[in-house]
Amino acid sequence: GVYRIDPDGSTHLVISDLVQPNGIVGSSSENILYVSDISQNKTIRYHIAENGTLGRAKIVCEIGSDGMTLDERGNLYLTGKAGVTVVGADGEILGVISIPEAWTANVCFGGENGKTLYITASKSVYALQMLVAGLGEPPPCGEP
C-alpha cells in the first residue's frame, strides 16, 4: 500500500489496490502524485486534494518502475530493465536512456545547476549532464 503521514504523526492508507507499489514522486506544485506498480507494469497519476486525499487514479503509461523522478517540464523518468525511460506528461514515451547494465534502480536530478541526472544501476552509478533541470531540492530524508 501507499500511506500518508500527517504532521501529527498519524498514518493513513491512501492507496490499497496496487500489487507492488515501488517508485513514487510528487510534482513541484505538490498536487500530483505518481506511483509505479512494478508488478503490474504501470505508472499511475493521482490528484492530491488540499486535505491530503487522493483523486481517481489515471494510468500514465504501461511501464513499471523501481525509482522515478520528474524534470522541470513535467517529464517522468522511470527506471528498469530498459535503462531510464522518459515519459511525457501525456504518457507518450519520449525516449530511453540506455545503460550498459541489466537493471537501473533509482534516478534523481542534482548537481550545481540541477541538470545532472544520477542513475544507480546493478553495479554502477552514472551521472549525465541534461538540457533540463529536475524539480529542485528533494525533501530531507532523515539523518545524513
Side-chain angles (χ1 to χ4, degrees), residues 3-31:
Y3 293 83
R4 179 186 79 232
I5 302 173
D6 287 340
D8 66 4
S10 61
T11 60
H12 308 274
L13 179 64
V14 293
I15 304 171
S16 61
D17 61 343
L18 301 179
V19 175
Q20 189 179 1
N22 197 351
I24 188 168
V25 68
S27 67
S28 62
S29 62
E30 298 183 0
N31 66 353

PDB file of all heavy atoms in Angstrom, residues 3-31:
ATOM      1  N   TYR A   3       0.990   4.986   1.944  1.00  0.00           N
ATOM      2  CA  TYR A   3       0.489   5.644   3.141  1.00  0.00           C
ATOM      3  C   TYR A   3       0.832   7.126   3.134  1.00  0.00           C
ATOM      4  O   TYR A   3       1.846   7.533   2.582  1.00  0.00           O
ATOM      5  CB  TYR A   3       1.117   5.013   4.389  1.00  0.00           C
ATOM      6  CG  TYR A   3       0.682   3.588   4.599  1.00  0.00           C
ATOM      7  CD1 TYR A   3       1.307   2.538   3.932  1.00  0.00           C
ATOM      8  CD2 TYR A   3      -0.364   3.293   5.461  1.00  0.00           C
ATOM      9  CE1 TYR A   3       0.900   1.225   4.110  1.00  0.00           C
ATOM     10  CE2 TYR A   3      -0.781   1.984   5.656  1.00  0.00           C
ATOM     11  CZ  TYR A   3      -0.138   0.952   4.969  1.00  0.00           C
ATOM     12  OH  TYR A   3      -0.551  -0.334   5.146  1.00  0.00           O
ATOM     13  N   ARG A   4      -0.018   7.919   3.790  1.00  0.00           N
ATOM     14  CA  ARG A   4       0.244   9.335   4.031  1.00  0.00           C
ATOM     15  C   ARG A   4       0.502   9.492   5.518  1.00  0.00           C
ATOM     16  O   ARG A   4      -0.211   8.912   6.348  1.00  0.00           O
ATOM     17  CB  ARG A   4      -0.978  10.167   3.623  1.00  0.00           C
ATOM     18  CG  ARG A   4      -0.793  11.661   3.879  1.00  0.00           C
ATOM     19  CD  ARG A   4      -2.062  12.460   3.603  1.00  0.00           C
ATOM     20  NE  ARG A   4      -2.977  12.335   4.732  1.00  0.00           N
ATOM     21  CZ  ARG A   4      -4.241  11.973   4.647  1.00  0.00           C
ATOM     22  NH1 ARG A   4      -4.785  11.684   3.497  1.00  0.00           N
ATOM     23  NH2 ARG A   4      -4.998  11.882   5.734  1.00  0.00           N
ATOM     24  N   ILE A   5       1.520  10.256   5.851  1.00  0.00           N
ATOM     25  CA  ILE A   5       1.806  10.570   7.254  1.00  0.00           C
ATOM     26  C   ILE A   5       1.452  12.035   7.477  1.00  0.00           C
ATOM     27  O   ILE A   5       2.009  12.922   6.823  1.00  0.00           O
ATOM     28  CB  ILE A   5       3.288  10.317   7.604  1.00  0.00           C
ATOM     29  CG1 ILE A   5       3.651   8.857   7.328  1.00  0.00           C
ATOM     30  CG2 ILE A   5       3.553  10.686   9.061  1.00  0.00           C
ATOM     31  CD1 ILE A   5       5.125   8.547   7.476  1.00  0.00           C
ATOM     32  N   ASP A   6       0.538  12.295   8.373  1.00  0.00           N
ATOM     33  CA  ASP A   6       0.123  13.659   8.684  1.00  0.00           C
ATOM     34  C   ASP A   6       1.155  14.325   9.600  1.00  0.00           C
ATOM     35  O   ASP A   6       1.946  13.643  10.255  1.00  0.00           O
ATOM     36  CB  ASP A   6      -1.246  13.645   9.371  1.00  0.00           C
ATOM     37  CG  ASP A   6      -2.370  13.318   8.409  1.00  0.00           C
ATOM     38  OD1 ASP A   6      -2.189  13.464   7.181  1.00  0.00           O
ATOM     39  OD2 ASP A   6      -3.453  12.917   8.889  1.00  0.00           O
ATOM     40  N   PRO A   7       1.124  15.668   9.667  1.00  0.00           N
ATOM     41  CA  PRO A   7       2.064  16.379  10.548  1.00  0.00           C
ATOM     42  C   PRO A   7       1.997  15.924  12.004  1.00  0.00           C
ATOM     43  O   PRO A   7       2.988  15.984  12.717  1.00  0.00           O
ATOM     44  CB  PRO A   7       1.642  17.847  10.409  1.00  0.00           C
ATOM     45  CG  PRO A   7       1.038  17.925   9.047  1.00  0.00           C
ATOM     46  CD  PRO A   7       0.327  16.600   8.855  1.00  0.00           C
ATOM     47  N   ASP A   8       0.830  15.434  12.443  1.00  0.00           N
ATOM     48  CA  ASP A   8       0.714  14.974  13.838  1.00  0.00           C
ATOM     49  C   ASP A   8       1.253  13.550  14.029  1.00  0.00           C
ATOM     50  O   ASP A   8       1.209  13.010  15.124  1.00  0.00           O
ATOM     51  CB  ASP A   8      -0.731  15.053  14.326  1.00  0.00           C
ATOM     52  CG  ASP A   8      -1.678  14.091  13.615  1.00  0.00           C
ATOM     53  OD1 ASP A   8      -1.220  13.273  12.775  1.00  0.00           O
ATOM     54  OD2 ASP A   8      -2.890  14.158  13.892  1.00  0.00           O
ATOM     55  N   GLY A   9       1.754  12.936  12.926  1.00  0.00           N
ATOM     56  CA  GLY A   9       2.337  11.604  13.012  1.00  0.00           C
ATOM     57  C   GLY A   9       1.369  10.472  12.707  1.00  0.00           C
ATOM     58  O   GLY A   9       1.779   9.315  12.614  1.00  0.00           O
ATOM     59  N   SER A  10       0.093  10.768  12.546  1.00  0.00           N
ATOM     60  CA  SER A  10      -0.866   9.709  12.224  1.00  0.00           C
ATOM     61  C   SER A  10      -0.685   9.257  10.773  1.00  0.00           C
ATOM     62  O   SER A  10      -0.303  10.047   9.912  1.00  0.00           O
ATOM     63  CB  SER A  10      -2.300  10.185  12.467  1.00  0.00           C
ATOM     64  OG  SER A  10      -2.599  11.299  11.648  1.00  0.00           O
ATOM     65  N   THR A  11      -0.926   7.983  10.539  1.00  0.00           N
ATOM     66  CA  THR A  11      -0.753   7.428   9.194  1.00  0.00           C
ATOM     67  C   THR A  11      -2.104   6.985   8.633  1.00  0.00           C
ATOM     68  O   THR A  11      -2.996   6.573   9.382  1.00  0.00           O
ATOM     69  CB  THR A  11       0.211   6.231   9.187  1.00  0.00           C
ATOM     70  OG1 THR A  11      -0.314   5.221  10.037  1.00  0.00           O
ATOM     71  CG2 THR A  11       1.598   6.630   9.645  1.00  0.00           C
ATOM     72  N   HIS A  12      -2.208   7.075   7.305  1.00  0.00           N
ATOM     73  CA  HIS A  12      -3.440   6.717   6.615  1.00  0.00           C
ATOM     74  C   HIS A  12      -3.093   5.959   5.345  1.00  0.00           C
ATOM     75  O   HIS A  12      -2.254   6.421   4.559  1.00  0.00           O
ATOM     76  CB  HIS A  12      -4.244   7.962   6.238  1.00  0.00           C
ATOM     77  CG  HIS A  12      -4.482   8.883   7.379  1.00  0.00           C
ATOM     78  ND1 HIS A  12      -5.542   8.732   8.230  1.00  0.00           N
ATOM     79  CD2 HIS A  12      -3.786   9.955   7.821  1.00  0.00           C
ATOM     80  CE1 HIS A  12      -5.502   9.687   9.148  1.00  0.00           C
ATOM     81  NE2 HIS A  12      -4.444  10.429   8.927  1.00  0.00           N
ATOM     82  N   LEU A  13      -3.725   4.820   5.138  1.00  0.00           N
ATOM     83  CA  LEU A  13      -3.581   4.083   3.890  1.00  0.00           C
ATOM     84  C   LEU A  13      -4.354   4.843   2.818  1.00  0.00           C
ATOM     85  O   LEU A  13      -5.568   5.017   2.934  1.00  0.00           O
ATOM     86  CB  LEU A  13      -4.125   2.661   4.045  1.00  0.00           C
ATOM     87  CG  LEU A  13      -4.075   1.772   2.806  1.00  0.00           C
ATOM     88  CD1 LEU A  13      -2.627   1.505   2.384  1.00  0.00           C
ATOM     89  CD2 LEU A  13      -4.807   0.461   3.074  1.00  0.00           C
ATOM     90  N   VAL A  14      -3.663   5.332   1.778  1.00  0.00           N
ATOM     91  CA  VAL A  14      -4.327   6.137   0.756  1.00  0.00           C
ATOM     92  C   VAL A  14      -4.463   5.397  -0.574  1.00  0.00           C
ATOM     93  O   VAL A  14      -5.291   5.777  -1.399  1.00  0.00           O
ATOM     94  CB  VAL A  14      -3.629   7.500   0.550  1.00  0.00           C
ATOM     95  CG1 VAL A  14      -3.776   8.370   1.800  1.00  0.00           C
ATOM     96  CG2 VAL A  14      -2.171   7.334   0.173  1.00  0.00           C
ATOM     97  N   ILE A  15      -3.644   4.364  -0.793  1.00  0.00           N
ATOM     98  CA  ILE A  15      -3.764   3.534  -1.993  1.00  0.00           C
ATOM     99  C   ILE A  15      -3.607   2.084  -1.555  1.00  0.00           C
ATOM    100  O   ILE A  15      -2.577   1.704  -1.001  1.00  0.00           O
ATOM    101  CB  ILE A  15      -2.692   3.874  -3.051  1.00  0.00           C
ATOM    102  CG1 ILE A  15      -2.743   5.354  -3.431  1.00  0.00           C
ATOM    103  CG2 ILE A  15      -2.870   3.003  -4.292  1.00  0.00           C
ATOM    104  CD1 ILE A  15      -1.583   5.803  -4.308  1.00  0.00           C
ATOM    105  N   SER A  16      -4.638   1.282  -1.817  1.00  0.00           N
ATOM    106  CA  SER A  16      -4.597  -0.110  -1.371  1.00  0.00           C
ATOM    107  C   SER A  16      -4.765  -1.114  -2.507  1.00  0.00           C
ATOM    108  O   SER A  16      -4.701  -2.312  -2.271  1.00  0.00           O
ATOM    109  CB  SER A  16      -5.687  -0.356  -0.332  1.00  0.00           C
ATOM    110  OG  SER A  16      -6.964  -0.122  -0.888  1.00  0.00           O
ATOM    111  N   ASP A  17      -4.971  -0.641  -3.732  1.00  0.00           N
ATOM    112  CA  ASP A  17      -5.293  -1.552  -4.830  1.00  0.00           C
ATOM    113  C   ASP A  17      -4.116  -1.875  -5.747  1.00  0.00           C
ATOM    114  O   ASP A  17      -4.303  -2.445  -6.817  1.00  0.00           O
ATOM    115  CB  ASP A  17      -6.458  -1.002  -5.653  1.00  0.00           C
ATOM    116  CG  ASP A  17      -6.160   0.342  -6.286  1.00  0.00           C
ATOM    117  OD1 ASP A  17      -5.197   1.011  -5.857  1.00  0.00           O
ATOM    118  OD2 ASP A  17      -6.894   0.728  -7.211  1.00  0.00           O
ATOM    119  N   LEU A  18      -2.899  -1.550  -5.345  1.00  0.00           N
ATOM    120  CA  LEU A  18      -1.730  -1.870  -6.156  1.00  0.00           C
ATOM    121  C   LEU A  18      -1.088  -3.158  -5.631  1.00  0.00           C
ATOM    122  O   LEU A  18      -1.113  -3.427  -4.437  1.00  0.00           O
ATOM    123  CB  LEU A  18      -0.720  -0.722  -6.124  1.00  0.00           C
ATOM    124  CG  LEU A  18      -1.234   0.626  -6.638  1.00  0.00           C
ATOM    125  CD1 LEU A  18      -0.147   1.682  -6.521  1.00  0.00           C
ATOM    126  CD2 LEU A  18      -1.761   0.522  -8.053  1.00  0.00           C
ATOM    127  N   VAL A  19      -0.495  -3.933  -6.531  1.00  0.00           N
ATOM    128  CA  VAL A  19       0.134  -5.198  -6.150  1.00  0.00           C
ATOM    129  C   VAL A  19       1.493  -4.952  -5.496  1.00  0.00           C
ATOM    130  O   VAL A  19       1.786  -5.476  -4.432  1.00  0.00           O
ATOM    131  CB  VAL A  19       0.280  -6.125  -7.381  1.00  0.00           C
ATOM    132  CG1 VAL A  19       1.036  -7.397  -7.012  1.00  0.00           C
ATOM    133  CG2 VAL A  19      -1.092  -6.473  -7.947  1.00  0.00           C
ATOM    134  N   GLN A  20       2.340  -4.144  -6.142  1.00  0.00           N
ATOM    135  CA  GLN A  20       3.683  -3.888  -5.624  1.00  0.00           C
ATOM    136  C   GLN A  20       4.086  -2.440  -5.916  1.00  0.00           C
ATOM    137  O   GLN A  20       4.887  -2.178  -6.799  1.00  0.00           O
ATOM    138  CB  GLN A  20       4.688  -4.861  -6.254  1.00  0.00           C
ATOM    139  CG  GLN A  20       6.050  -4.808  -5.633  1.00  0.00           C
ATOM    140  CD  GLN A  20       7.011  -5.806  -6.280  1.00  0.00           C
ATOM    141  OE1 GLN A  20       6.666  -6.524  -7.205  1.00  0.00           O
ATOM    142  NE2 GLN A  20       8.225  -5.839  -5.780  1.00  0.00           N
ATOM    143  N   PRO A  21       3.509  -1.482  -5.164  1.00  0.00           N
ATOM    144  CA  PRO A  21       3.903  -0.089  -5.388  1.00  0.00           C
ATOM    145  C   PRO A  21       5.369   0.081  -5.030  1.00  0.00           C
ATOM    146  O   PRO A  21       5.849  -0.473  -4.041  1.00  0.00           O
ATOM    147  CB  PRO A  21       2.993   0.695  -4.452  1.00  0.00           C
ATOM    148  CG  PRO A  21       2.537  -0.278  -3.431  1.00  0.00           C
ATOM    149  CD  PRO A  21       2.571  -1.625  -4.078  1.00  0.00           C
ATOM    150  N   ASN A  22       6.084   0.817  -5.866  1.00  0.00           N
ATOM    151  CA  ASN A  22       7.515   0.957  -5.625  1.00  0.00           C
ATOM    152  C   ASN A  22       7.948   2.393  -5.874  1.00  0.00           C
ATOM    153  O   ASN A  22       8.127   3.137  -4.942  1.00  0.00           O
ATOM    154  CB  ASN A  22       8.295  -0.035  -6.484  1.00  0.00           C
ATOM    155  CG  ASN A  22       9.705  -0.235  -6.007  1.00  0.00           C
ATOM    156  OD1 ASN A  22      10.167   0.481  -5.136  1.00  0.00           O
ATOM    157  ND2 ASN A  22      10.407  -1.193  -6.554  1.00  0.00           N
ATOM    158  N   GLY A  23       8.107   2.792  -7.127  1.00  0.00           N
ATOM    159  CA  GLY A  23       8.523   4.157  -7.414  1.00  0.00           C
ATOM    160  C   GLY A  23       7.431   5.142  -7.040  1.00  0.00           C
ATOM    161  O   GLY A  23       6.241   4.880  -7.221  1.00  0.00           O
ATOM    162  N   ILE A  24       7.837   6.298  -6.486  1.00  0.00           N
ATOM    163  CA  ILE A  24       6.869   7.319  -6.088  1.00  0.00           C
ATOM    164  C   ILE A  24       7.540   8.683  -6.167  1.00  0.00           C
ATOM    165  O   ILE A  24       8.712   8.826  -5.805  1.00  0.00           O
ATOM    166  CB  ILE A  24       6.315   7.034  -4.670  1.00  0.00           C
ATOM    167  CG1 ILE A  24       5.175   7.977  -4.320  1.00  0.00           C
ATOM    168  CG2 ILE A  24       7.422   7.057  -3.636  1.00  0.00           C
ATOM    169  CD1 ILE A  24       4.403   7.560  -3.076  1.00  0.00           C
ATOM    170  N   VAL A  25       6.811   9.673  -6.684  1.00  0.00           N
ATOM    171  CA  VAL A  25       7.335  11.033  -6.742  1.00  0.00           C
ATOM    172  C   VAL A  25       6.153  11.996  -6.805  1.00  0.00           C
ATOM    173  O   VAL A  25       5.101  11.673  -7.369  1.00  0.00           O
ATOM    174  CB  VAL A  25       8.295  11.237  -7.947  1.00  0.00           C
ATOM    175  CG1 VAL A  25       7.575  11.163  -9.276  1.00  0.00           C
ATOM    176  CG2 VAL A  25       9.080  12.532  -7.837  1.00  0.00           C
ATOM    177  N   GLY A  26       6.327  13.162  -6.199  1.00  0.00           N
ATOM    178  CA  GLY A  26       5.302  14.193  -6.243  1.00  0.00           C
ATOM    179  C   GLY A  26       5.740  15.345  -7.117  1.00  0.00           C
ATOM    180  O   GLY A  26       6.931  15.603  -7.283  1.00  0.00           O
ATOM    181  N   SER A  27       4.770  16.046  -7.698  1.00  0.00           N
ATOM    182  CA  SER A  27       5.064  17.195  -8.550  1.00  0.00           C
ATOM    183  C   SER A  27       5.524  18.379  -7.705  1.00  0.00           C
ATOM    184  O   SER A  27       5.260  18.432  -6.502  1.00  0.00           O
ATOM    185  CB  SER A  27       3.835  17.578  -9.361  1.00  0.00           C
ATOM    186  OG  SER A  27       2.819  18.078  -8.503  1.00  0.00           O
ATOM    187  N   SER A  28       6.170  19.344  -8.350  1.00  0.00           N
ATOM    188  CA  SER A  28       6.654  20.516  -7.620  1.00  0.00           C
ATOM    189  C   SER A  28       5.494  21.365  -7.099  1.00  0.00           C
ATOM    190  O   SER A  28       5.639  22.065  -6.112  1.00  0.00           O
ATOM    191  CB  SER A  28       7.568  21.364  -8.504  1.00  0.00           C
ATOM    192  OG  SER A  28       6.850  21.831  -9.629  1.00  0.00           O
ATOM    193  N   SER A  29       4.346  21.285  -7.746  1.00  0.00           N
ATOM    194  CA  SER A  29       3.176  22.027  -7.275  1.00  0.00           C
ATOM    195  C   SER A  29       2.517  21.347  -6.076  1.00  0.00           C
ATOM    196  O   SER A  29       1.609  21.898  -5.480  1.00  0.00           O
ATOM    197  CB  SER A  29       2.151  22.154  -8.404  1.00  0.00           C
ATOM    198  OG  SER A  29       1.707  20.868  -8.795  1.00  0.00           O
ATOM    199  N   GLU A  30       3.003  20.135  -5.744  1.00  0.00           N
ATOM    200  CA  GLU A  30       2.526  19.345  -4.615  1.00  0.00           C
ATOM    201  C   GLU A  30       1.069  18.914  -4.752  1.00  0.00           C
ATOM    202  O   GLU A  30       0.422  18.585  -3.762  1.00  0.00           O
ATOM    203  CB  GLU A  30       2.750  20.084  -3.293  1.00  0.00           C
ATOM    204  CG  GLU A  30       4.214  20.343  -3.006  1.00  0.00           C
ATOM    205  CD  GLU A  30       4.453  21.016  -1.670  1.00  0.00           C
ATOM    206  OE1 GLU A  30       3.486  21.290  -0.932  1.00  0.00           O
ATOM    207  OE2 GLU A  30       5.620  21.271  -1.369  1.00  0.00           O
ATOM    208  N   ASN A  31       0.535  18.891  -5.999  1.00  0.00           N
ATOM    209  CA  ASN A  31      -0.843  18.450  -6.148  1.00  0.00           C
ATOM    210  C   ASN A  31      -0.993  17.232  -7.065  1.00  0.00           C
ATOM    211  O   ASN A  31      -2.106  16.813  -7.344  1.00  0.00           O
ATOM    212  CB  ASN A  31      -1.743  19.595  -6.621  1.00  0.00           C
ATOM    213  CG  ASN A  31      -1.399  20.064  -8.025  1.00  0.00           C
ATOM    214  OD1 ASN A  31      -0.422  19.646  -8.611  1.00  0.00           O
ATOM    215  ND2 ASN A  31      -2.218  20.945  -8.548  1.00  0.00           N
TER     216      ASN A  31
END
